[in-house]
Amino acid sequence: MNFDNDEDALEFINRLLERLHQADYFNQGSKIEVVYVASGGQHVETQINVGETLPGPPCLGREKAKERPALPDVLCTEEAMALWEKVQRAGYVDDNYQPLISRTQSALLADAMAERLGIREKWKVFETLWNRKYMRSDYNLALTRKQSLDFQDELKSIFQ
């Protein structure tokens, strides 16, 4: 299949996997292999072994999955994990909770998540997680751009 952009392709793959899972299509030991050619010709491959137990969220104070960064407790609650899942499906963050969007959009995302989760020290929390500095400045810059209003509307609809 051909898609106009990477987001459409990832959304299609996620919907397909969800439908197959809901239909209980897989047997123990089944494997799914996805090969995707991203824009620019980059090949992305992944294999999912059905029936394997995937590691839970890598929160501080819990046993961590090796290649995933530890999430602070405020970003590892049940509500936070539901938000992470939504923004991952939207293609805004990767499986390691790292942003796949611009710095200004990342700052808007951090602000929206912090507001929903009641996080007071949002910049400190997200700057540490994403290894970034000056997110407040990125946020202020975002507020001066028209496309940021559209992105904020997208976030509102995703978080509903």
Side-chain angles (χ1 to χ4, degrees):
M1 299 184 92
N2 294 320
F3 297 94
D4 293 333
N5 58 54
D6 296 348
E7 290 175 13
D8 291 344
L10 292 173
E11 183 180 340
F12 173 79
I13 290 168
N14 283 329
R15 281 196 324 258
L16 177 63
L17 290 173
E18 284 177 317
R19 287 183 183 156
L20 290 171
H21 182 70
Q22 288 171 351
D24 202 21
Y25 180 79
F26 305 112
N27 296 322
Q28 188 74 10
S30 296
K31 292 182 181 182
I32 302 170
E33 187 171 306
V34 177
V35 178
Y36 168 64
V37 180
S39 56
Q42 176 187 3
H43 278 72
V44 178
E45 283 187 49
T46 188
Q47 182 172 324
I48 302 165
N49 294 318
V50 178
E52 281 185 359
T53 303
L54 299 175
C59 301
L60 292 173
R62 300 184 192 175
E63 186 177 320
K64 299 177 205 170
K66 284 188 180 170
E67 297 171 7
R68 300 177 77 178
L71 288 172
D73 288 341
V74 294
L75 293 176
C76 203
T77 63
E78 190 173 315
E79 183 180 5
M81 295 313 297
L83 295 178
W84 282 121
E85 184 178 328
K86 290 177 180 183
V87 296
Q88 283 175 336
R89 284 186 184 167
Y92 299 155
V93 298
D94 65 18
D95 292 337
N96 294 321
Y97 311 103
Q98 297 301 303
L100 299 171
I101 51 182
S102 71
R103 288 186 61 94
T104 53
Q105 288 176 326
S106 297
L108 292 170
L109 173 60
D111 178 69
M113 286 187 73
E115 186 175 316
R116 278 292 295 265
L117 299 170
I119 299 172
R120 288 183 172 199
E121 297 182 8
K122 61 185 163 193
W123 305 127
K124 180 179 178 181
V125 169
F126 283 95
E127 284 176 350
T128 301
L129 176 64
W130 292 340
N131 195 27
R132 292 193 173 172
K133 294 183 179 182
Y134 314 116
M135 286 190 70
R136 177 185 292 271
S137 296
D138 294 336
Y139 176 77
N140 290 335
L141 178 61
L143 295 180
T144 67
R145 298 181 174 171
K146 159 96 173 80
Q147 69 242 29
S148 296
L149 296 174
D150 296 336
F151 186 72
Q152 285 178 313
D153 289 341
E154 286 178 37
L155 289 174
K156 285 178 188 174
S157 67
I158 288 171
F159 287 167
Q160 286 183 356

